[in-house]
Amino acid sequence: MAHVPVTGEHSPASSAPVDTHCPYCSLQCGMALRPVPPDGGPRDAPGDRPGGVEVVERTAFPVNRGALCGKGRTAPAVLSSRVRLTEPLVRRPDTGRLEPATWEEALDRIAEGLESTGRAYGRDAVGVFGGGGLTNEKAYALGKFARVVLGTSQIDYNGRFCMSSAAAAHQRAFGLDRGLPFPLADVARTGCVVLVGSNLAETMPPALRYLTELKEAGGRLIVVDPRRTRTAEQADLHLAPRPGTDLALALGLLHLVVAEGRVDEEFVERRTSGWPEARAAAMAHWPELVERITGVPVPELRKAVTMFCDAESSMVLTARGPEQQSKGTDTVGAWINLCLATGRAGRPLSGYGCLTGQGNGQGGREHGQKADQLPGYRKLDDPAARAHVAAVWGVEPDDLPGPGRSAYELLDALGRDVRALLLMGSNPLVSAPRAAHVESRLRSLDFLAVADVVLSETAALADVVLPVAQWAEETGTMTNLEGRVLLRRAALTPPPGVRTDLWVLSGLAARLGWEKGFPADAEEVFEELRRASAGGPADYSGITYRRIAEEDGVFWPCPERVERHDPEGAESVSADSPLAESPPADSPPAESPLADSPPAESMNAGARPHPGTPRLFLDRFATDDGRARFAPVSHRPAAEEPDAEYPVLLTTGRVLAQYQSGAQTRRVGELNEAAPGPYVQLHPLLAERLGVDEGAPVAVVSRRGRAVAPARISRDIRPDTVFMPFHWAGPGRANTVTNPALDPVSRMPEFKVCAVRLEPAEG
């Protein structure tokens, strides 16, 4: 049991332990929060009221089974009034400083800033930028607010930087995007896993147990990563390609599959389309060519194919490594091709999946934050989708704006086409590529309003900053990497000066002429979300708060009901959903009545509540013809390759003790002790050539800027590559140098590879 007493300026909402979920990554690990009595722990600071919560293991939750990483265990520390915002701040014209203000003044100022900008420059001069950590309810309300109240097309979110390439490839191949089309527990039961560009041991440690259990059961693990990470150390085979060459690697493996006669011809014929074109593209990538491109020896390529194909079942799981590239969609498509050609998709314990990064990276894009999507994962340019959602919102379909700019393109337009911005739950000054440029665009805005838990680097630039409630202080749903919709419950009441994001949107909507349609109650918002998503690809209409609580989450798609359609009792889903099999073992029996089921009189004869869909595609894929589509892709270089001036490759990523832009984790003492600042990891040969010693400051310079951090010399990285974690602002900000070159389909920036030079630095 982990004990982290916290003594903020607020009190437990109840005296009993409250089941909830971690505020960080997409595992959404189950935990319980137990109140600490007023005299049960030390005060955080003089004047703080004692009390708060402690984290307790929640062993029954199936995803993490009680395990937590250090970030989850220490999460209550950010609830402290010492590190968070507790009152609105408004920038005073006379001093230029952010100073305390009342909520009335702060909301009035935002409403006026957004409205006056729209009047002066047009509705699309007002932008909205959201976050992948917002609950489904907040993401839904934010998208509705942008399109209905502000009438702007200019909305996107930082989840664009997370798994948009995988989402685009998933849609193209399967007709539906859900990070994992199977429960995470299936990973431990398959025969071979190829893990591409993920350091699972540091980014989501509780999930590492599934790889451990895989190996204990006789399964094999292949890790693809240019660094020998903690995860790669667990692998049976570690492939270390040159950054930016994952596409060539996947094509080379598929070439060998064809050459060695390992194609599952029956599966390809029966369940796929587009194979001849994809096969021809792969055959142009022969093993020796792939070795020259990637640096991976041909014998290792052959060994990987043998391990993957000899297993009775296999999976490919990708993360940001192959996805955060200017060819990320095609790269993921090539790995999907490998699964399809070998019959390792649409079958039990096999398939392609993406390890989503942010806490609600999956749900955040399903319900309206993304520039081109409406709730239920509907397309914004689809007339039927617009009509359905407009009817739920009580507006005319033609009143809804069309698709807007993607995340980086929106940030790049600030101060020019977009003159005012409302930002919730994101810190792009640290997390966006070419961050110094993004910082200059933020500074050039006529008006910036930020709602956040802490005074992040981005919030510090705002004209108005709103202190909003945290994970432990509000109720709402999240959708984890498996597509499991979860319920995060409030365990504390927010401090007196803090409000929820939904309350903020409700207050702003009222000031801008919408007295109704924006409730502050999360469950009321979710009920509307259910209606808006009904019949869409991400159908939540059969999910309720009570069902989530009783079933430890419900997998989407989950229409309202399943209808019996023949005398023998065979079932069909009442919406176009690829329901594949019975629910997992941790779900209630199908014959049991589920909570909050529609009343009998509203259901067709013989219908019953839908059980949710833990496993997709076992019967058919979600395309029009039910077939998966191969992608005829070919390797191409990164947007920026090394040259004489910039001869080294930079790749970026995360470390165990910090999370994303670090806005919250950098305020936790224990985590800062474990990971106090940025560093540059480089190979001893490169360090010797530069004359750099361990711990000496080294400058990483690209065409976009310069970052300086201590050298960390290691043989766990390629000699032609350096690595920087991206959690810090200031001189060590890795994203100062990263390349914003965009994938043409997903609009994902190329975070994972750019050309740099290294120089010894002063100080």
Side-chain angles (χ1 to χ4, degrees):
M1 179 179 69
H3 183 170
V4 187
V6 177
T7 67
E9 297 288 341
H10 51 324
S11 305
S14 70
S15 59
V18 176
D19 286 346
T20 190
H21 296 272
C22 176
Y24 293 115
C25 81
S26 65
L27 280 182
Q28 284 298 286
C29 291
M31 60 168 63
L33 296 179
R34 183 167 61 196
V36 175
D39 58 352
R43 295 172 184 263
D44 270 332
D48 275 355
R49 277 191 315 218
V53 292
E54 61 180 354
V55 171
V56 186
E57 289 182 357
R58 185 179 159 196
T59 57
F61 185 66
V63 175
N64 62 309
R65 291 175 265 167
L68 293 170
C69 72
K71 294 187 291 291
R73 183 174 51 79
T74 61
V78 187
L79 297 167
S80 169
S81 60
R82 291 187 303 163
V83 300
R84 66 178 304 174
L85 294 165
T86 57
E87 58 186 345
L89 303 174
V90 170
R91 193 170 301 280
R92 302 299 177 189
D94 52 341
T95 66
R97 293 195 297 265
L98 286 171
E99 298 180 8
T102 66
W103 272 97
E104 288 294 315
E105 180 187 3
L107 292 179
D108 287 346
R109 180 90 173 264
I110 295 174
E112 169 57 26
L114 300 179
E115 187 173 40
S116 62
T117 301
R119 283 198 309 266
Y121 302 103
R123 291 190 168 194
D124 277 355
V126 179
V128 176
F129 200 87
L134 300 181
T135 63
N136 289 315
E137 293 82 356
K138 294 178 188 179
Y140 173 85
L142 190 62
K144 180 181 178 182
F145 179 84
R147 296 184 172 102
V148 172
V149 177
L150 300 178
T152 182
S153 67
Q154 300 303 301
I155 175 173
D156 210 75
Y157 81 128
N158 63 15
R160 177 78 66 170
F161 302 155
C162 179
M163 58 173 292
S164 58
S165 292
H170 234 143
Q171 290 276 13
R172 186 167 66 183
F174 304 131
L176 183 71
D177 160 42
R178 197 179 83 187
L180 293 183
F182 38 72
L184 191 59
D186 284 3
V187 172
R189 301 165 55 205
T190 192
C192 179
V193 169
V194 181
L195 186 64
V196 188
S198 169
N199 185 10
L200 202 65
E202 297 204 41
T203 58
M204 46 183 70
L208 189 65
R209 71 192 315 164
Y210 292 104
L211 300 181
T212 302
E213 292 169 4
L214 164 78
K215 296 185 65 177
E216 290 173 347
R220 311 298 294 276
L221 174 63
I222 303 169
V223 171
V224 179
D225 199 304
R227 301 191 300 140
R228 185 167 180 80
T229 63
R230 295 183 187 181
T231 307
E233 290 173 355
Q234 310 300 314
D236 298 288
L237 177 63
H238 173 213
L239 307 180
R242 182 173 174 268
T245 64
D246 306 86
L247 176 52
L249 178 63
L251 289 164
L253 296 179
L254 183 54
H255 177 110
L256 288 170
V257 164
V258 176
E260 295 177 5
R262 292 179 176 272
V263 175
D264 187 332
E265 301 287 357
E266 188 275 335
F267 178 89
V268 169
E269 173 67 23
R270 183 171 57 89
R271 298 201 60 190
T272 73
S273 62
W275 171 234
E277 295 82 5
R279 180 185 185 278
M283 297 314 289
H285 297 77
W286 58 94
E288 292 76 16
L289 173 63
V290 170
E291 178 178 325
R292 289 201 299 273
I293 294 172
T294 66
V296 178
V298 171
E300 292 187 6
L301 299 175
R302 296 188 184 278
K303 185 176 181 181
V305 168
T306 298
M307 291 170 62
F308 186 75
C309 294
D310 282 357
E312 290 188 9
S313 57
S314 301
M315 296 176 179
V316 172
L317 305 177
T318 68
R320 305 302 79 75
E323 298 164 19
Q324 287 181 326
Q325 299 184 28
S326 60
K327 52 183 180 292
T329 301
D330 284 355
T331 301
V332 173
W335 288 105
I336 292 175
N337 286 352
L338 180 66
C339 293
L340 293 176
T342 55
R344 307 307 171 96
R347 287 176 170 169
L349 305 181
S350 287
Y352 164 77
C354 167
L355 300 173
T356 314
Q358 293 190 80
N360 203 29
Q362 180 70 53
R365 69 182 181 281
E366 293 168 3
H367 299 299
Q369 283 189 102
K370 199 159 172 276
D372 56 353
Q373 287 176 188
L374 288 170
Y377 226 138
R378 288 182 160 91
K379 294 181 179 179
L380 188 54
D381 57 3
D382 177 2
R386 293 170 67 87
H388 174 86
V389 174
V392 174
W393 288 351
V395 299
E396 292 299 320
D398 290 344
D399 291 339
L400 297 178
R405 293 176 173 87
S406 70
Y408 179 77
E409 292 167 305
L410 174 56
L411 295 172
D412 186 46
L414 299 181
R416 296 189 288 257
D417 298 329
V418 178
R419 309 292 292 264
L421 183 70
L422 173 64
L423 187 147
M424 282 188 163
S426 185
N427 188 18
L429 191 145
V430 177
S431 63
R434 197 185 172 195
H437 172 71
V438 170
E439 180 177 350
S440 72
R441 302 313 328 144
L442 286 163
R443 291 181 182 276
S444 71
L445 282 165
D446 295 346
F447 181 79
L448 172 62
V450 174
D452 209 333
V453 170
V454 297
L455 189 66
S456 69
E457 287 78 10
T458 304
L461 302 182
D463 297 285
V464 181
V465 182
L466 302 179
V468 291
Q470 298 189 48
W471 59 287
E473 301 164 348
E474 58 182 353
T475 295
T477 61
M478 306 284 281
T479 305
N480 80 344
L481 77 171
E482 311 164 294
R484 188 192 299 252
V485 185
L486 306 166
L487 185 62
R488 280 203 322 211
R489 300 170 179 83
L492 296 168
T493 56
V498 172
R499 303 289 184 268
T500 68
D501 291 284
L502 292 178
W503 187 93
V504 168
L505 291 174
S506 180
L508 290 175
R511 283 166 170 79
L512 294 170
W514 291 80
E515 295 285 347
K516 296 182 179 179
F518 291 88
D521 179 76
E523 189 167 9
E524 188 175 347
V525 175
F526 189 79
E527 288 302 304
E528 183 177 301
L529 182 157
R530 292 176 63 201
R531 299 195 302 275
S533 72
D539 191 334
Y540 282 34
S541 61
I543 304 176
T544 65
Y545 275 27
R546 183 181 292 183
R547 274 196 66 178
I548 297 171
E550 293 184 352
E551 300 172 33
D552 270 334
V554 180
F555 290 85
W556 73 262
C558 183
E560 190 177 39
R561 57 188 176 272
V562 173
E563 299 169 1
R564 298 192 183 279
H565 65 88
D566 69 15
E568 301 300 320
E571 296 171 351
S572 65
V573 183
S574 61
D576 291 332
S577 165
L579 178 65
E581 63 167 41
S582 59
D586 58 350
S587 293
E591 63 271 20
S592 299
L594 296 176
D596 283 356
S597 59
E601 61 269 23
S602 72
M603 300 174 65
N604 294 344
R608 64 171 176 81
H610 193 287
T613 314
R615 296 173 180 85
L616 298 168
F617 312 139
L618 296 191
D619 293 330
R620 68 187 307 275
F621 296 97
T623 56
D624 291 340
D625 60 5
R627 291 173 173 265
R629 303 185 183 98
F630 279 95
V633 296
S634 296
H635 175 71
R636 59 184 185 272
E640 186 177 76
E641 292 285 343
D643 56 23
E645 188 176 2
Y646 300 97
V648 178
L649 289 168
L650 168 71
T651 192
T652 65
R654 286 169 48 190
V655 298
L656 176 62
Q658 301 289 352
Y659 181 72
Q660 303 299 74
S661 75
Q664 295 184 48
T665 52
R666 284 188 276 117
R667 287 165 166 80
V668 179
E670 181 178 330
L671 300 179
N672 282 333
E673 289 177 10
Y679 60 86
V680 180
Q681 184 186 38
L682 68 163
H683 192 275
L685 293 176
L686 183 55
E688 182 180 2
R689 190 160 71 242
L690 294 168
V692 172
D693 296 325
E694 176 74 19
V698 59
V700 179
V701 184
S702 78
R703 291 175 173 85
R704 290 155 296 282
R706 170 188 175 98
V708 179
R712 185 172 295 184
I713 301 172
S714 170
R715 295 188 179 276
D716 292 337
I717 192 167
R718 294 171 53 99
D720 58 1
T721 301
V722 295
F723 167 83
M724 287 189 73
F726 59 77
H727 308 290
W728 289 272
R733 181 175 60 185
N735 278 319
T736 296
V737 300
T738 51
N739 192 352
L742 301 180
D743 181 287
V745 179
S746 69
R747 317 307 290 170
M748 167 73 84
E750 192 153 59
F751 288 98
K752 280 296 184 281
V753 52
C754 71
V756 299
R757 69 171 181 266
L758 272 65
E759 303 169 346
E762 296 293 330

